[in-house]
Amino acid sequence: MQYFVVMIDYGRRGRGAVVDPEITRREVISRIVSGEYKNISFIHEIAGSSVEDVTADILSEAALPDIGTPSLQADHFDHLRDLRKHETA
């Protein structure tokens, strides 16, 4: 069994932990990016009987922009455009 515990600091109102066995690492990251999770105190990954603090890893992943993979068709059109630039008239 593996799950994540996200501890959120609500300031004067205290802290609250979000514990959902159904949530994946990707879902935790997407909730941070969307702004659903703010003021995070820590994120722990619990797998079996071990606990690991993954706060820094997940927050750094959430801060990276999703670049995606370049399209081969777009690369082809860029190449053709570059070839046209260097054609002799």
Side-chain angles (χ1 to χ4, degrees):
M1 176 107 182
Q2 176 185 5
Y3 59 95
F4 293 90
V5 176
V6 181
M7 183 64 72
I8 300 175
D9 185 0
Y10 294 109
R12 299 182 114 201
R13 295 183 298 166
R15 290 180 169 182
V18 178
V19 181
D20 184 357
E22 300 292 322
I23 196 170
T24 63
R25 181 183 186 103
R26 181 175 294 181
E27 182 65 23
V28 170
I29 293 169
S30 71
R31 289 181 183 188
I32 292 169
V33 171
S34 72
E36 184 176 341
Y37 291 166
K38 297 179 185 176
N39 301 327
I40 297 171
S41 295
F42 62 81
I43 303 170
H44 288 168
E45 179 180 10
I46 300 171
S49 61
S50 67
V51 177
E52 183 180 354
D53 185 358
V54 294
T55 308
D57 295 338
I58 289 184
L59 290 178
S60 67
E61 286 180 46
L64 295 176
D66 185 20
I67 296 172
T69 57
S71 167
L72 293 177
Q73 185 176 13
D75 289 345
H76 177 71
F77 289 137
D78 288 344
H79 179 69
L80 291 177
R81 185 189 69 228
D82 290 341
L83 289 175
R84 283 194 301 271
K85 285 182 191 177
H86 300 290
E87 286 180 353
T88 56

